[in-house]
Amino acid sequence: MIGARGEGVRPSGARAARDGSATGPLAGVRILEVGTMLAGPYATMMLADLGAEVTKVEPAGGDISRQVSDSYFASLNRGKRSISIDLNTARGQDQLGELAANAHALLVNLKPSAIHRLGLTYEALRRWNERLVCVAITGFGLDAGDDPAFDYVIQAATGIAALTGDPAGPPTLPGYSSADNSTGLTAALGLLAQIVSGQGGQVEVSLRDVMLSQLNYHASAYLNDGTAPQRRPFGAHTYYVPAQMFPTAEGYLALFITHDGFWRRFAGEAAVAGFETMVERASRREEVLAAVTTALAADTAVGWESRLRPLGIPAAAVRTLPEALEATPEVLVQAGPHRLVGSPIRIAGYEPTYGPPPRLGEHNI
């Protein structure tokens, strides 16, 4: 078990306060969230970790993610407040307006028709607060209709799935919600950018656009050079060789050789001759991969990692998530009764307050 009795867990807010940690960089920023499941709640949790006051506006039944599991809900909603409001009623709309009048931003992820119907746009709320920033996370755009847009659907629709997996097998998906998480981070960036501008307004972020943006160099190669991306064995990189997974005597090794200096050091350690330039390695891909595969069969993935890392060569044995967490106890935090992975953002002099996830309607007046 990781962090049993608190080992390897960074201090909670109470501990941080006793230690005199600095006020968070977003202290005083008030954000409303009408979010469900992952993308929206992840965005606002990242902001809460940086000191923003995030109030989760939930219907009577709560965010549907409460029904998944307590640990799932905690992983996306630590440190927030919860107010239960029926936005389908006139009273609920007035309550939302009163909250908006004192907020810096509202972030919502629902289907577009619900966002418009419930008055969760800047045009609907500007009468309460001209400087309010309204961020809408949708599948395809705020005015693009209600086509279903869950994470895996977007990965399929944007080319992610077609690029993932072995070329001899079916398209596949990463084992986590990459579209939702990426969109959440992008939405948080858009929200902060508009707050910094000092003006209110509508911000839109769609899962489709974010994932197409993340295919940056693949899209550029196709649009400018007519080169369509290929799915390669072992997740091989399009440009760099060798840069992929390799089988070893035991386990798999991720090896990422980009420039010639990396190659010289690797070739010396692995006793591989030739292929001295990046251009040559790219043009003789199959020969390089065969030579590297043969060399790596002489040791285990962990053994190669221990040999290559001191040489500054990017390499890592493939580990499971439990193994990765066991190896990095410093990233774990305590948020009420839950052990979680903490904020990836480190700011000198600031230790986040990791409060527990709120009970439904806990902060109703």
Side-chain angles (χ1 to χ4, degrees):
M1 294 289 288
I2 303 166
R5 298 180 301 281
E7 294 96 330
V9 177
R10 282 190 274 148
S12 67
R15 166 86 174 273
R18 290 197 301 272
D19 290 348
S21 298
T23 300
L26 295 183
V29 175
R30 296 177 296 279
I31 299 170
L32 306 176
E33 174 217 301
V34 183
T36 181
M37 296 300 286
L38 207 160
Y42 183 64
T44 56
M45 186 182 73
M46 291 291 100
L47 300 172
D49 287 346
L50 295 175
E53 179 185 280
V54 176
T55 299
K56 192 173 180 70
V57 178
E58 302 185 68
D63 178 348
I64 193 172
S65 67
R66 290 183 180 274
Q67 301 173 31
V68 178
S69 72
D70 288 345
S71 61
Y72 183 98
F73 183 77
S75 74
L76 298 164
N77 293 285
R78 64 181 176 228
K80 301 179 185 178
R81 304 167 75 246
S82 171
I83 293 178
S84 180
I85 296 176
D86 184 355
L87 295 175
N88 292 292
T89 67
R91 172 58 182 150
Q93 286 291 306
D94 285 342
Q95 288 176 297
L96 175 66
E98 291 164 4
L99 291 170
N102 293 299
H104 293 90
L106 164 71
L107 185 143
V108 54
N109 72 300
L110 296 171
K111 59 185 181 181
S113 63
I115 294 174
H116 289 295
R117 177 173 55 81
L118 297 174
L120 300 173
T121 65
Y122 179 72
E123 285 305 312
L125 292 168
R126 65 184 302 176
R127 66 188 179 91
W128 295 92
N129 182 354
E130 283 280 344
R131 297 183 67 180
L132 182 69
V133 175
C134 291
V135 181
I137 296 177
T138 64
F140 304 99
L142 191 52
D143 297 313
D146 284 350
D147 286 346
F150 288 88
D151 186 290
Y152 285 8
V153 173
I154 293 297
Q155 291 191 49
T158 57
I160 303 293
L163 278 171
T164 309
D166 190 272
T172 188
L173 300 166
Y176 78 109
S177 299
S178 62
D180 280 337
N181 283 304
S182 298
T183 303
L185 291 174
T186 306
L189 175 62
L191 180 151
L192 291 174
Q194 189 64 16
I195 286 179
V196 169
S197 78
Q199 300 179 346
Q202 185 70 54
V203 177
E204 293 187 51
V205 180
S206 77
L207 276 75
R208 179 201 60 194
D209 292 357
V210 168
M211 297 316 288
L212 287 173
S213 170
Q214 293 203 344
L215 288 172
N216 37 45
Y217 61 83
H218 286 300
S220 182
Y222 175 71
L223 294 170
N224 297 286
D225 308 323
T227 304
Q230 300 178 45
R231 194 190 324 165
R232 299 181 183 275
F234 297 105
H237 196 277
T238 298
Y239 298 114
Y240 302 123
V241 181
Q244 62 178 63
M245 299 292 182
F246 287 94
T248 68
E250 181 182 330
Y252 286 84
L253 182 79
L255 180 67
F256 204 83
I257 302 294
T258 53
H259 60 69
D260 295 339
F262 282 161
W263 174 256
R264 284 192 295 272
R265 279 173 265 162
F266 169 77
E269 181 66 24
V272 178
F275 316 115
E276 295 181 357
T277 68
M278 183 186 298
V279 172
E280 183 182 8
R281 291 192 298 277
S283 65
R284 300 174 64 186
R285 175 186 288 267
E286 296 308 319
E287 295 174 70
V288 173
L289 297 183
V292 172
T293 299
T294 298
L296 293 180
D299 201 347
T300 66
V302 172
W304 280 113
E305 180 184 274
S306 67
R307 291 166 62 178
L308 297 176
R309 284 278 184 90
L311 300 176
I313 298 168
V318 174
R319 291 176 170 81
T320 65
L321 175 61
E323 290 169 340
L325 293 176
E326 290 284 357
T328 54
E330 67 275 9
V331 309
L332 303 180
V333 301
Q334 195 75 36
H338 300 280
R339 289 183 303 152
L340 303 169
V341 175
S343 173
I345 301 171
R346 305 284 192 268
I347 297 177
Y350 171 64
E351 183 69 33
T353 296
Y354 293 107
R359 299 186 303 276
L360 177 59
E362 179 180 349
H363 301 93
N364 281 14
I365 298 176

